[in-house]
Amino acid sequence: MSYTERSRDLFLETGTRFPRDVIWAMGAVKMAAARANRALGVMDPAMAKAIEAAASEVMDGSRDGEIVVDVFQTGSGTGLNMNVNEVISRRASEILGSKVHPNDHVNMSQSSNDVVPTAMRVAAVRASIARAIPALRGLSSALRDLSSRTTSIYKSGRTHLRDALPVTMGQEFGAYAFAFSRDADTLEAALARARELPLGGTAVGTGLNAPEGFAEAAIAELSSIAGVEFRTSPDRFASMRLLTDLVGVSAALRSVALDLMRLSQDLRLMFSGPMTGLNEIDLPNQAEIAGSSIMPGKTNPVTVESCLQASAQVMGLDHTVQLAGMLGEFELSMGIPVAGYDVSLEISLISEAASKLTKVVEGVVPNVERARRYAESSPSLITVISPVIGYERAAEVGKRLAKGLSIRDALRELGFDDRAIDGLLDLGRLVRPGIPARSSS
């Protein structure tokens, strides 16, 4: 009975399987190792070629049905490594026409303790570069475009969900454009450390049973295969016992999730209504699917709510990654399988949520008149005359406004004529720095 078959009775059997990104990375590590072993003269060229060919089938998904170990397994990821070794061994033996051993040959110059943490980092870096960062840049760009086309649309600002001074929609959406651009930068910075790989450290970081130069050769090959630059870790002992760099990637993804949640909440509130909510924007593409099984014609912010749930999931996964990073003692980080799985899932969720939310942002239609009416109705407009009459008197006027007196009538009671009032209530002047009351008095 193979290791993989025996392990299924001992590991948890939850049906949780490693994602494609991780399986690809495992195949890529095995291919890179075979090439390095051949180049260093410790592996027969024909055998190395057979292992490479079998590894390429793991990478392209042809062998996914054979990678069956559960994510919840031995903490080093030995189960995953052995499963992949056995799959490649069987296929390489068929290709070569003679026995290729899973440990002696496929795992040559390696250990689960350096292979699996290497593969998890490769998967995270590669997927982030291919999907998450472009999705975040795309969302930021869409928000910048929306900010540009709503730069002259005035609306009431809100603090504590209460009326505040006016802003423009462009200012609100521009804030999120900046936030997601910064999030992409933060993720890229976090990936820099995750590019440092422990491959070549073998069992405990010393590199025992790997030929001199193996780490450098294998990681150079791995960079070529992945199309992404990776480096040998400056301290393999640290990279094998600590997952701090992956925890950092997860933290960057958690920050993205937080900003996605805030944007989604704002979009959802602005879209609320149409009669009893804010109704400041319309989201036409959300009408492409029924909003209710009982209320005909109802439109709900379905994509936005999907993104809210995905954001919550990412935050939960990040907490697991933090805990997984704490597992282990001495030479082993024991939370490798679940940490790698969760980071990979976080990247998928963030990539999908940002891409789908981009389509929502691109379709935003402002309800211009409604938004302006709110802006001109806010009792907080009294703030603009506070520098002239003083905070205490302005607060008293504000209380009268809250009871129904219009801002214009309140200003007339204070002695302002209509021309001065028009100047004070020029929304274009109220959404930029300065003291309109003094220049209008």
Side-chain angles (χ1 to χ4, degrees), residues 281-299:
I281 61 172
D282 191 23
L283 303 175
N285 64 5
Q286 301 296 277
E288 294 174 8
I289 190 171
S292 172
S293 61
I294 191 172
M295 293 175 278
K298 189 171 188 291
T299 301

Side-chain angles (χ1 to χ4, degrees), residues 7-8 10-20 22-23 67-81 83 116 120 317 320-321 324 327 334-345:
S7 73
R8 298 186 74 177
L10 298 171
F11 299 157
L12 301 192
E13 189 52 51
T14 67
T16 311
R17 300 290 182 256
F18 288 98
R20 181 98 281 282
V22 169
I23 296 174
I67 313 295
V68 296
V69 290
D70 204 271
V71 167
F72 301 98
Q73 57 169 276
T74 178
S76 59
T78 299
L80 174 61
N81 187 42
N83 192 165
V116 182
M120 296 306 180
L317 292 168
T320 302
V321 173
L327 298 175
M334 204 215 70
I336 294 166
V338 72
Y341 173 83
D342 283 355
V343 170
S344 184
L345 184 51

Side-chain angles (χ1 to χ4, degrees), residues 101-120:
H101 195 277
N103 298 84
D104 295 339
H105 303 132
V106 182
N107 202 57
M108 181 183 285
S109 309
Q110 307 150 64
S111 164
S112 300
N113 295 348
D114 65 343
V115 165
V116 182
T118 291
M120 296 306 180

Side-chain angles (χ1 to χ4, degrees), residues 33 52 58 83 132 148 178 246 255 272 354 382 438:
E52 286 183 55
V58 170
N83 192 165
S148 246
F178 172 81
L246 274 183
S255 295
S272 63
I382 195 64
R438 288 182 177 169

